[in-house]
Amino acid sequence: MKFFSKPPQATPDTSSVLDLWCAQSQGSGWIRESDWFCNATRSVVSMLVAGKDPTTALRSLASRRAVQGVGIAESLGDIQALFTVVPHPDSNRLVVEFADAWVEATDLFSHQLTCSDANSGLANRQHFERRVHELRENPLTRKSPYVIALYKHQRVDFDDMRTFMLAAEIGQACIEAMPEGIATYRGNKIALLLPRESVSRSRLGALGKALGTVLDDFQVPADSLHLDVEPVPLTPPEVQRLLGSLWS
């Protein structure tokens, strides 16, 4: 009688587990795939695949998620997705460790977790672009019609105080004219993310007039102000191309 040895079971590698975890997390409610991958996720999986205690790596990931601005519900859903892919006998304790580290990091870095630009009071560029991406990644708004209105004026070279004052007044004009929009001011460009139904020639014209008044006050030619309106595309690559073109 011949005896055959049991074939060795394949050990999962870090990359394949990462892919499974990411897919599970996406299906469980993670909003933006481009925010998911980071060195901390790889460290967590490396510890699990090697059979080592992942506590320290998980706490580092929690800090990373908090500083990214990922909410606690979305972050915990991601960790639950991990333990669906890679069951762990101590998963309850590890989830508590993760939540504790997330709260610690949020308290420590809360002064840095701002979405606003200090000069204009409008959204900073990162928050503006994140909101555009979220529109197309959220199933509820994936096909909703939105546009980006881009006002561009002549470049200026003011000192820091005058630059601050110009940005503050431009920000106030945008907030008063288009309170429902998400606006950002960078260099000599003002971009507004708006629902298509709220956009009309008269409202865009009124904002342009208000911006022109501000520019005149700072001796910037109001007739240099130019407006372009672009629909927000439906696919992530097209969205990225549009956002890249705004500041070029």
Side-chain angles (χ1 to χ4, degrees):
M1 179 180 294
K2 293 183 178 179
F3 294 92
F4 296 93
S5 60
K6 186 177 180 180
Q9 292 186 345
T11 302
D13 64 276
T14 299
S15 295
S16 62
V17 174
L18 273 172
D19 290 341
L20 289 171
W21 177 14
C22 182
Q24 180 71 29
S25 188
Q26 293 286 305
S28 302
W30 186 270
I31 296 173
R32 188 176 176 190
E33 183 179 357
S34 58
D35 280 347
W36 190 86
F37 287 98
C38 60
N39 289 336
T41 53
R42 179 169 289 276
S43 295
V44 169
V45 172
S46 295
M47 291 294 103
L48 290 171
V49 168
K52 298 179 181 179
D53 182 3
T55 300
T56 301
L58 267 175
R59 292 186 68 90
S60 295
L61 176 60
S63 298
R64 161 80 181 194
R65 295 306 192 209
V67 174
Q68 276 182 286
V70 181
I72 187 64
E74 188 177 359
S75 298
L76 287 175
D78 182 44
I79 297 308
Q80 289 168 347
L82 168 65
F83 291 130
T84 298
V85 172
V86 188
H88 193 283
D90 208 11
S91 60
N92 288 339
R93 179 187 66 80
L94 292 171
V95 169
V96 172
E97 290 276 2
F98 180 92
D100 179 64
W102 186 95
V103 172
E104 276 187 9
T106 300
D107 289 341
L108 182 61
F109 296 111
S110 59
H111 64 286
Q112 297 179 10
L113 302 179
T114 177
C115 297
S116 300
D117 173 68
N119 290 342
S120 67
L122 302 174
N124 59 34
R125 176 181 171 181
Q126 292 76 17
H127 180 63
F128 179 85
E129 294 189 354
R130 179 180 174 86
R131 288 303 309 274
V132 177
H133 279 291
E134 286 174 349
L135 281 175
R136 292 301 176 242
E137 292 167 359
N138 186 331
L140 298 178
T141 58
R142 185 171 292 155
K143 295 185 179 180
S144 300
Y146 275 77
V147 302
I148 292 178
L150 184 70
Y151 292 87
K152 179 180 179 181
H153 64 74
Q154 178 179 300
R155 288 188 177 275
V156 293
D157 186 20
F158 292 145
D159 60 35
D160 289 346
M161 179 55 69
R162 198 158 173 78
T163 298
F164 169 79
M165 293 172 64
L166 173 60
E169 292 199 26
I170 281 179
Q172 189 61 34
C174 291
I175 291 168
E176 290 177 356
M178 297 282 191
E180 76 279 22
I182 298 169
T184 188
Y185 179 43
R186 178 179 172 83
N188 63 329
K189 297 178 181 179
I190 307 110
L192 296 97
L193 174 65
L194 297 161
R196 179 64 185 86
E197 65 269 15
S198 74
V199 175
S200 67
R201 184 182 297 272
S202 61
R203 294 193 71 202
L204 292 175
L207 175 55
K209 184 176 180 180
L211 293 173
T213 299
V214 172
L215 294 175
D216 273 339
D217 290 342
F218 285 81
Q219 287 77 54
V220 180
D223 59 7
S224 71
L225 192 66
H226 178 73
L227 170 64
D228 283 317
V229 179
E230 294 283 347
V232 177
L234 298 181
T235 66
E238 290 174 332
V239 168
Q240 191 58 52
R241 279 194 292 271
L242 172 60
L243 292 175
S245 72
L246 293 182
W247 319 116
S248 59

